[in-house]
Amino acid sequence: MAEAEAIPAATVIVMRDRAGKPPELLMVERAQAMSFAAGALVFPGGRVDPGDRLLAALFAGDPDDIAARVAAVRETLEEAGVAVGLDVPLAAIPKLGRRLYAGEPMGALLEKAGGALRIDALTPFARWLPTGMRHKIFDTRFYLARAPDNAEPVVDGNENVRVFWAGAQAVLDAADAGEAMIIFPTRRNLERLATFASFEQAVADALGHPVETITPWVERRDGIDHLCIPDHLGYPVTAEPLGQAVRA
């Protein structure tokens, strides 16, 4: 059976600072019925749609990167009701999210609402592309975004069953206690995010490391197969025993 073709996708790590405490991240729990990462805690995101590419054509720059940013903005609003990368009236956000989820084009909706995209509000953080899978493979670009003031996430009730704010270490602790499931890329990103004391620190780290496509590989170390990633991209943990790694 041939390996699946990679699907372009994007996700947003939405962060909000807390005085004297580590930042919190916006997390969603995927529904058990989903074909990819069912039941896992993930950052909001999804595949890049043709409509995202149409909107991306209005901006200068790498069209694939811009389309992924547009998709990240759209998916975060659809999945969690949180508007990052958007200038839009606060009262319009719930209606926008519902109509986007129903399939209406974002460009037309923003025009009606008097809003605009702010793709520069997203900072590239990472890019992950696994290989060797026979299920869906996503070529996923990760972005950082500051949480809007008074952002109140909302469960979409279809793709996810829970949406909440939590510190990176708290999510890792929940997974280690068997109270949550996180897949390999999410765990590695949470470990990296747990080292930051603020959103500004996370952005500085992202700008200080090149965004290279991360394709994990299997390597035998001390007689045990490990799933590995490069060690120069800012991740504090770069290998995990293959038998312990959770893959979607």
Side-chain angles (χ1 to χ4, degrees):
M1 185 175 180
E3 180 178 314
E5 184 177 350
I7 301 167
T11 192
V12 188
I13 300 163
V14 185
M15 302 181 69
R16 67 177 187 183
D17 287 331
R18 298 184 296 164
K21 297 181 180 180
E24 289 185 320
L25 313 174
L26 182 63
M27 305 295 301
V28 301
E29 181 179 340
R30 288 176 62 79
Q32 290 289 347
M34 300 302 292
S35 61
F36 178 82
L41 299 184
V42 298
F43 309 111
R47 68 178 65 206
V48 178
D49 289 343
D52 303 323
R53 297 194 179 279
L54 287 175
L55 273 179
L58 302 175
F59 298 87
D62 176 0
D64 291 330
D65 170 56
I66 297 171
R69 291 173 188 246
V70 174
V73 170
R74 174 181 55 75
E75 288 281 356
T76 304
L77 190 53
E78 286 182 16
E79 287 191 356
V82 174
V84 297
L86 286 174
D87 279 332
V88 66
L90 186 62
I93 292 174
K95 186 176 182 180
L96 271 176
R98 290 193 298 271
R99 295 180 72 175
L100 277 173
Y101 197 82
E104 296 190 45
M106 185 160 66
L109 289 174
L110 286 177
E111 186 175 351
K112 291 177 184 176
L117 278 166
R118 286 190 54 242
I119 58 172
D120 59 336
L122 277 63
T123 300
F125 184 69
R127 183 176 179 182
W128 285 68
L129 173 58
T131 58
M133 305 290 190
R134 286 175 170 76
H135 55 63
K136 291 180 181 177
I137 291 177
F138 291 96
D139 178 0
T140 306
R141 298 174 189 254
F142 289 74
Y143 297 92
L144 298 172
R146 185 189 296 275
D149 293 337
N150 302 314
E152 294 294 338
V154 179
V155 174
D156 72 12
N158 184 22
E159 294 185 12
N160 64 72
V161 296
R162 184 163 60 116
V163 57
F164 60 97
W165 296 101
Q169 190 59 54
V171 179
L172 289 166
D173 291 344
D176 290 343
E179 300 166 357
M181 181 178 77
I182 51 177
I183 61 176
F184 183 81
T186 305
R187 175 175 283 277
R188 300 287 84 87
N189 280 304
L190 285 168
E191 290 161 349
R192 183 177 173 188
L193 292 161
T195 66
F196 306 137
S198 66
F199 174 73
E200 289 81 4
Q201 194 175 98
V203 169
D205 182 84
L207 296 176
H209 291 93
V211 175
E212 299 177 7
T213 301
I214 297 173
T215 298
W217 71 90
V218 176
E219 181 178 313
R220 198 157 184 82
R221 300 182 178 182
D222 298 325
I224 299 173
D225 285 341
H226 284 69
L227 194 59
C228 308
I229 62 173
D231 59 7
H232 64 284
L233 299 178
Y235 289 88
V237 179
T238 58
E240 181 178 2
L242 185 59
Q244 298 176 16
V246 180
R247 307 177 81 180

